[in-house]
Amino acid sequence: MKKTIIGITMILLLAILGGCFDSETEPTAEQTISSLKDENKKLKSELHNEKIKNNSATMKNQEVVGLNQDVIVETKSKEQASVKITEVTTEPDHFPNEMINPDSDYYDINHMIAVTIEYKNLSMSSPFTPNISYFKAYTIENQPLEVANLILGTTTVNKGESNKRQLFFITPGPSSELNEIKIDLFIKSKVATFDLQVSH
């Protein structure tokens, strides 16, 4: 009888000690969640830093840039201006009325893309505006996009000033089928390529 009681006591004692041991070594649900949140925060920070690093390298090399990224244009005398593309869309409300007019023989916005360009004169002594000939647009299959003969915003800007202009490109097929285009910025030679998503 004593042996039985001692045996049961030992089993209970081992079970209790085992439970204590497990509770000390295994993290609680709250600890696990907290740990995962910390790790997620760290990974997000590393990813953000990597993006900044990649963007800096891209801008330095002036090769491929995206939406809302400035491209610095520099003269031989080191005077500078910046150019960036802020919007690429097929949405009808981004086109002027003369293009939306259904009686138009030339414009068909179902085969057009509206591109908004923002430019700033950083240090040029002469007024600056990006000429329409600076921009060569094409599909990712390298099909050229013809520029329409209507441009909105042709104002030149003095040092420290900025402005916007809008170009319209004619697409070879329905513009709703284009989700990405590229635009080369040429000023005597190619300065950069804009790789752009098209919003619909």
Side-chain angles (χ1 to χ4, degrees):
M1 184 72 175
K2 285 184 178 179
K3 287 182 178 179
T4 304
I5 292 171
I6 290 170
I8 292 170
T9 304
M10 289 297 291
I11 291 168
L12 289 172
L13 187 59
L14 287 171
I16 291 167
L17 288 173
C20 292
F21 181 76
D22 289 342
S23 65
E24 288 176 4
T25 56
E26 292 184 10
T28 64
E30 288 179 2
Q31 289 172 328
T32 302
I33 291 169
S34 178
S35 175
L36 288 172
K37 282 182 178 178
D38 290 341
E39 189 173 344
N40 188 39
K41 188 176 179 181
K42 182 181 176 184
L43 288 171
K44 281 183 177 179
S45 177
E46 289 175 357
L47 180 63
H48 179 68
N49 290 339
E50 189 65 23
K51 282 182 178 178
I52 291 173
K53 181 181 175 183
N54 290 341
N55 285 344
S56 298
T58 299
M59 295 309 296
K60 185 178 179 182
N61 296 331
Q62 293 292 288
E63 292 175 354
V64 180
V65 294
L67 202 66
N68 291 310
Q69 288 187 312
D70 284 305
V71 173
I72 303 301
V73 177
E74 193 173 79
T75 65
K76 287 182 180 179
S77 57
K78 304 299 181 184
E79 294 180 330
Q80 294 182 333
S82 66
V83 177
K84 66 180 174 182
I85 293 176
T86 59
E87 192 168 41
V88 181
T89 184
T90 61
E91 295 174 17
D93 58 353
H94 287 75
F95 291 85
N97 290 333
E98 52 264 51
M99 284 187 169
I100 299 172
N101 187 344
D103 297 327
S104 172
D105 294 329
Y106 181 74
Y107 302 117
D108 178 4
I109 65 168
N110 295 312
H111 289 78
M112 298 185 78
I113 292 175
V115 176
T116 303
I117 298 160
E118 189 174 302
Y119 54 100
K120 183 173 184 178
N121 185 336
L122 300 175
S123 61
M124 290 186 174
S125 53
S126 300
F128 171 75
T129 185
N131 194 294
I132 188 172
S133 63
Y134 293 175
F135 302 94
K136 309 292 183 188
Y138 52 96
T139 68
I140 55 173
E141 291 83 18
N142 289 319
Q143 289 182 286
L145 304 181
E146 180 189 348
V147 66
N149 63 358
L150 178 63
I151 305 165
L152 299 183
T154 57
T155 306
T156 58
V157 292
N158 295 314
K159 190 187 297 184
E161 296 177 341
S162 61
N163 214 318
K164 292 182 179 181
R165 76 183 319 180
Q166 205 173 19
L167 305 181
F168 306 94
F169 291 96
I170 301 168
T171 61
S175 54
S176 59
E177 295 178 2
L178 280 181
N179 295 314
E180 182 181 0
I181 65 167
K182 294 186 178 185
I183 298 178
D184 289 339
L185 176 61
F186 276 91
I187 302 177
K188 294 186 178 178
S189 61
K190 187 165 81 168
V191 179
T193 297
F194 292 94
D195 192 341
L196 306 159
Q197 297 297 310
V198 181
S199 66
H200 300 289

